Every structure is written in structure tokens, then in C-alpha cells.
Amino acid sequence: MATRADIHDPGPFGTALKAARAGRRVSQLMLSLDAGVSARHLSFLESGRAMPSREMVLTLAEALALPLSARNHLLGAAGFASAYPASPLASDAIAPFRAILSQMMENHAPFPALLCDRHWNVLEASASAAAMLSPLLEGWQGPPNVFRLTACHPRASELIANLPEVLHESLERLALEQSVAGDDPVLADLIAVTRAAAAKHPYRAARTRSPVLPVVFRGPAGLMSFLSVVAQCGTSEDVTVRDLRLELLFPADKATRAAFS
């Protein structure tokens, strides 16, 4: 029987490490093998019986393939300073990346483009994207979020013609995001609200799945169908840059393309 002396407080780091490992669905043994540490030592780190060095935190984060923001969080939980900068979006430090993204959005005009953070809060919208979003922003409180607007706005089913399919695809995309991010309560909440919305709009997939799933908007000129491409920057060690998502919407049919000509 365990005594009080055998019970250890895992502390911030042990709690954060266990949550990150659980988010990756990785066992202690698997992580110990990937990180090149003993399973016993890893168990001690998670239980709070041992504290890691800075190098050990980075080794474990690398073995878990955590995003940069999650690596900083793990370092902070162990009492260390962040290893990766998180520059303001308008800072000179990430100006080259902003220039690339701005050029991509300009080149994509007149079709819709959205620049979002890692939780899909809209940071910037092209003119056509802003016009499409405007009906969903009427009466909306808080920052516009792609998935919350789709799942929670009372006019979503009116404005998105194939909302059940879109909600189903949204759940798959969010699940993929969560698998990469590990333990992320914001993504978990987005999944919860999207799943609740999907339950109200049941979707039954066809026996033969289409290779593409467009998003179909109802606009003043009629139905507009789009295919989505999401771009991310992979050559920066800045948290802000790595977390950016640029979503480009392309016409899925001739009628939609003609509406922008």
C-alpha cells in the first residue's frame, strides 16, 4: 500500500509532459525509446520525482514532434526560458514572411484568401473573403474564427449550402491539427463545438466518396463553390510564423469563376 512519502506531485512539468504525450497517443516506453532515455527516468519526470535539464526538455519535445509553441510551453513548465521567439505579426523580424504571404494573397485576387493563426482566428482577409464573411460577422461577439463561425453562427446553414459536409470535413481537419499540436485545449474546444453542430446537421457520406469536397456559399449572385488550399511557412523558427495558416479558396466550377471575372 502506498504511503504519503510515495505520493509525488507531478508539478507543472510532469503534468505538461504527460498531457503532451497523451495528446500524441504515445506510451512512456515508446517515448523513452524515441528520446533515448530510460523508461524509469521518464516515469520519474512525469511523476515529479525528477526534474529535467533544459536539454532533456528539448530532447523530449523533439521526440514528440511538438510545434514550437508547445515546446516553449514545456520549457516554461520546467522553469526555463523559451527557446523559440514569438514575434508580433507586424514586427520587422518576420517582415520577409509577411511580404511573402501578402504577395500570395495579392496574386490570388480576386478570389478569397484568409490569413489565420494556429487556432483559425482570422488575422487578415482579402476583399472578396471579407465580403463573403460579412453576413456571418453580423452580431458576432469576439474575434472571427473560421470553425466557430461555421459551427455556431445562427445563419451558417443559410449561407453555407452544404453545411453538413463542411462540418464533417472540419472535424477531420481539426483532428489532424490536434494530432500535430498535441495537448491543445483551444483546439479541443473547437472540436467539441464543431462536433455538437455536426450532430444537429447529420451527414451521411456517399458509398463512393468524391475526390474533392467544395464549400458552397449562397451569395447575392447565387451559389458559389470553392476548393480550399492551406499553406504554412516551414522555414522559420519563430512561433508566430510557424502558426500562421494561409487559406486560399479557388473556384470549383465555371459559374463561380465567372462570378469573379
Side-chain angles (χ1 to χ4, degrees):
M1 181 176 180
T3 66
R4 291 185 62 85
D6 297 320
I7 301 173
H8 294 267
D9 179 1
F13 177 75
T15 301
L17 177 59
K18 184 175 181 179
R21 181 175 60 76
R24 281 287 191 267
R25 294 181 173 84
V26 173
S27 68
Q28 282 189 348
L29 178 59
M30 291 173 62
L31 178 56
S32 68
L33 291 173
D34 289 342
V37 301
S38 72
R40 177 182 175 84
H41 184 54
L42 183 59
S43 176
F44 277 21
L45 291 173
E46 284 196 5
S47 66
R49 297 177 68 179
M51 285 300 294
S53 66
R54 181 180 176 85
E55 291 71 22
M56 176 59 70
V57 176
L58 292 172
T59 296
L60 294 172
E62 179 72 23
L64 287 169
L66 295 178
L68 303 187
S69 54
R71 298 185 191 202
N72 280 347
H73 174 69
L74 208 59
L75 283 166
F80 299 111
S82 296
Y84 304 96
S87 305
L89 196 58
S91 68
D92 291 340
I94 61 175
F97 289 97
R98 282 306 310 272
I100 292 171
L101 294 170
S102 294
Q103 183 177 357
M104 291 176 70
M105 294 180 76
E106 290 172 7
N107 292 343
H108 191 62
F111 307 126
L114 294 169
L115 182 63
C116 302
D117 64 17
R118 69 186 301 241
H119 296 129
W120 291 92
N121 296 307
V122 179
L123 304 175
E124 188 176 330
S126 66
S128 55
M132 288 171 53
L133 284 177
S134 60
L136 289 173
L137 296 180
E138 294 176 4
W140 184 258
Q141 301 296 320
N145 180 279
V146 171
F147 292 107
R148 288 192 191 280
L149 287 169
T150 304
C152 303
H153 198 284
R155 294 189 63 192
S157 59
E158 171 192 344
L159 297 167
I160 303 175
N162 60 335
L163 183 61
E165 292 87 346
V166 170
L167 290 170
H168 178 78
E169 193 276 337
S170 295
L171 282 172
E172 292 185 348
R173 182 187 294 189
L174 285 169
L176 178 61
E177 292 265 347
Q178 189 182 48
S179 71
V180 173
D183 178 50
D184 188 320
V186 177
L187 285 176
D189 185 60
L190 285 174
I191 290 173
V193 298
T194 303
R195 183 175 290 119
K200 299 176 183 177
H201 301 278
Y203 166 65
R204 186 171 183 175
R207 291 175 64 89
T208 303
R209 299 291 292 270
S210 170
V212 296
L213 174 62
V215 180
V216 184
F217 288 92
R218 288 191 180 97
L223 296 179
M224 294 188 295
S225 183
F226 297 96
L227 298 176
S228 169
V229 172
V230 178
Q232 292 179 246
C233 299
T235 57
S236 171
E237 291 205 336
D238 189 283
V239 172
T240 302
V241 174
R242 282 289 187 95
D243 285 351
L244 292 174
R245 280 98 168 99
L246 177 62
E247 182 165 26
L248 305 174
L249 297 179
F250 291 84
D253 55 36
K254 292 181 179 179
T256 302
R257 185 174 294 276
F260 287 87
S261 61

